[in-house]
Amino acid sequence: MARLSDSIEQFIKELMNEEARVELRRNELAQHFGCAPSQINYVLATRFSVDHGYVTESRRGGGGYVRIVRICRDGENNLLEMLLEKVGQSVDEDTAFAIIAHLTDLRIITENEANLMRAATSRVALALPISAKDILRAAVLRNMLQQVFRNYERGGEG
């Protein structure tokens, strides 16, 4: 199953090499890969989410489509707002780490800064019950994101 998911992800990313936005028909994509449309939904949900640097829009029904938009570096304020919304009041470790990896991919933060952010939001750094960890992690990550973007606006990385 993982290989099929990897293939679908790679196919979509290749389509997006030239454009920051692509529209696909879920059923046609499922036919192309010989899988159920739910497998396409799984790939979109797990590999093309905001924390991975994408926004997906979906319209179901007869002429249904899936639109995937890569969050571009040009609109940092928009990116910050989307990331803060994704973090919300509670965020798990995997989502926090995916957001940090995306910022590294965009070269908004350095690898060293990413390592510090991961250390500060890791489950071992937050010695609390799980529900409290996610709330504290969200507060810490929101503050770090705001500072990263303040620094970035001043012209420097991270």
Side-chain angles (χ1 to χ4, degrees), residues 28-46:
E28 290 175 10
L29 200 55
Q31 277 184 326
H32 177 78
F33 284 98
C35 65
S38 61
Q39 180 67 31
I40 304 301
N41 291 342
Y42 170 79
V43 171
L44 294 173
T46 59

Side-chain angles (χ1 to χ4, degrees), residues 93-137:
E93 184 182 56
D94 290 339
T95 301
F97 283 18
I99 289 169
I100 294 164
H102 181 61
L103 293 173
T104 306
D105 291 344
L106 290 175
R107 297 183 183 193
I108 291 175
I109 61 173
T110 66
E111 192 59 45
N112 285 339
E113 291 163 334
N115 289 337
L116 290 171
M117 291 174 76
R118 280 190 287 270
T121 58
S122 72
R123 70 178 162 271
V124 294
L126 307 171
L128 299 166
I130 291 176
S131 60
K133 279 184 187 188
D134 290 350
I135 292 168
L136 180 57
R137 181 181 296 114

Side-chain angles (χ1 to χ4, degrees), residues 12-140:
I12 294 171
K13 285 184 174 178
E14 286 174 10
L15 289 174
M16 296 186 78
N17 275 344
E18 300 296 317
E19 302 291 326
R21 170 184 174 152
V22 67
E23 284 188 16
L24 307 166
R25 297 204 181 278
R26 186 180 292 106
N27 287 337
E28 290 175 10
L29 200 55
Q31 277 184 326
H32 177 78
F33 284 98
C35 65
S38 61
Q39 180 67 31
I40 304 301
N41 291 342
Y42 170 79
V43 171
L44 294 173
T46 59
R47 302 182 184 199
F48 291 92
S49 60
V50 171
D51 44 311
H52 290 282
Y54 299 90
V55 175
T56 58
E57 302 168 13
S58 182
R59 190 178 82 198
R60 300 192 186 273
Y65 65 87
V66 176
R67 178 181 299 133
I68 305 167
V69 180
R70 185 181 313 116
I71 301 170
C72 295
R73 186 179 174 143
D74 298 341
E76 278 88 8
N77 288 333
N78 191 23
L79 175 57
L80 175 60
E81 289 173 21
M82 285 200 270
L83 292 175
L84 291 174
E85 184 177 315
K86 177 68 177 176
V87 170
Q89 298 302 311
S90 175
V91 67
D92 61 44
E93 184 182 56
D94 290 339
T95 301
F97 283 18
I99 289 169
I100 294 164
H102 181 61
L103 293 173
T104 306
D105 291 344
L106 290 175
R107 297 183 183 193
I108 291 175
I109 61 173
T110 66
E111 192 59 45
N112 285 339
E113 291 163 334
N115 289 337
L116 290 171
M117 291 174 76
R118 280 190 287 270
T121 58
S122 72
R123 70 178 162 271
V124 294
L126 307 171
L128 299 166
I130 291 176
S131 60
K133 279 184 187 188
D134 290 350
I135 292 168
L136 180 57
R137 181 181 296 114
V140 168

